[in-house]
């Protein structure tokens, strides 16, 4: 009798475990169905069709990009390094920072760097992206009399609706393929390693000149450029990088 009772209890226990497992599996399946049917905002690590994050080329060319400026504490130092190294980069500026630092914005442009759009306030709400893109576009034209072409959403967050909205505004949604992770402030050696170790022909490098403390980025920038040049790389803006797409003729003279 005791053995039968123990066997019966084991059957109940196993049945409960099976029931719990079935519930978990069913929940995961339903969650997957829900995700597939949503207009899900995706992080940049999932390279979404229709975005620009690299070019296919055998040429050893790269684009340096900087987000979240212009910042009165750090952008000037970034520009000093780029000038010393004779490198042109693309700055994805925030409208609120451009409005507050118009002379610094003009310096970026006057020194031959490309100005791109990073929204106005760095809001992570996708429904605000297109509105902030437009607001920043108008502001940049007012300050520089130039139109921007490239837009990078805060956090690299994208969705089908964001992609469509950006395209309607005549912009190219631009992400990155080489993350320095300087936003983590892991130390200059780690930032250098993150970029140099993961670089490849046609890649777009993500760095920051604002948003947080950027002393580490400033310290890492010169060594990044030097080490990549030792490997035979050249640098250009995101616009110049597109000239090296394998389906287009190579224009070597534009890069330093």
């Amino acid at each position: 009798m005791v053995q039968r009772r123990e066997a019966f209890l084991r059957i109940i226990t196993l049945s409960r475990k099976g029931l719990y497992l079935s519930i978990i599996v069913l929940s995961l399946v339903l969650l997957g169905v829900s995700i597939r049917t949503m207009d899900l905002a995706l992080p940049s690590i999932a390279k979404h069709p229709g975005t620009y994050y690299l070019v296919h080329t055998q040429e050893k060319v790269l684009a340096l990009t900087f987000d979240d400026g212009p910042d009165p504490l750090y952008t000037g130092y970034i520009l000093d390094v780029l000038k010393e190294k004779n490198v042109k980069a693309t700055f994805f500026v925030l409208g609120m920072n451009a409005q507050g630092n118009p002379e610094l914005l003009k310096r970026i442009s006057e020194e031959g760097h490309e100005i791109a759009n990073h929204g106005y306030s760095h809001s992570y709400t996708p429904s605000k992206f297109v509105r902030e893109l437009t607001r920043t576009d108008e502001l940049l034209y007012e300050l520089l009399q130039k139109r921007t072409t490239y837009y990078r959403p805060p956090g690299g967050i994208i969705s089908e609706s964001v992609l469509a909205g950006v395209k309607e505004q005549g912009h190219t949604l631009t992400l990155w393929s080489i993350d320095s992770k300087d936003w983590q402030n892991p130390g200059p050696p780690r930032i250098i390693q993150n970029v140099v170790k993961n670089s490849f022909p046609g890649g777009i490098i993500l760095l920051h000149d604002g948003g947080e403390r950027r002393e580490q980025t400033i310290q890492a920038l010169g060594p990044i450029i030097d080490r990549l040049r030792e490997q035979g790389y050249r640098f250009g803006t995101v616009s110049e990088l597109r000239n090296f797409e394998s389906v287009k003729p190579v224009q070597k003279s534009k890069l330093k």
Side-chain angles (χ1 to χ4, degrees), residues 92-106:
F92 286 86
V93 304
L94 289 174
M96 61 186 296
N97 288 345
Q99 189 170 33
N101 303 281
E103 294 305 316
L104 197 50
L105 177 74
K106 290 176 182 177

Side-chain angles (χ1 to χ4, degrees), residues 52-65:
Y52 172 33
Y53 59 96
L54 57 78
V55 300
H56 300 93
T57 180
Q58 297 299 314
E59 296 285 337
K60 300 189 77 171
V61 292
L62 295 163
L64 288 170
T65 66

Side-chain angles (χ1 to χ4, degrees), residues 3 9 37 40 45 60 65 70 73-74 100 103 105 107 116 163 201:
Q3 290 179 344
L9 289 174
T37 58
L40 183 65
I45 195 66
K60 300 189 77 171
T65 66
L73 295 178
Y74 307 112
E103 294 305 316
L105 177 74
R107 180 185 168 188
L163 190 60

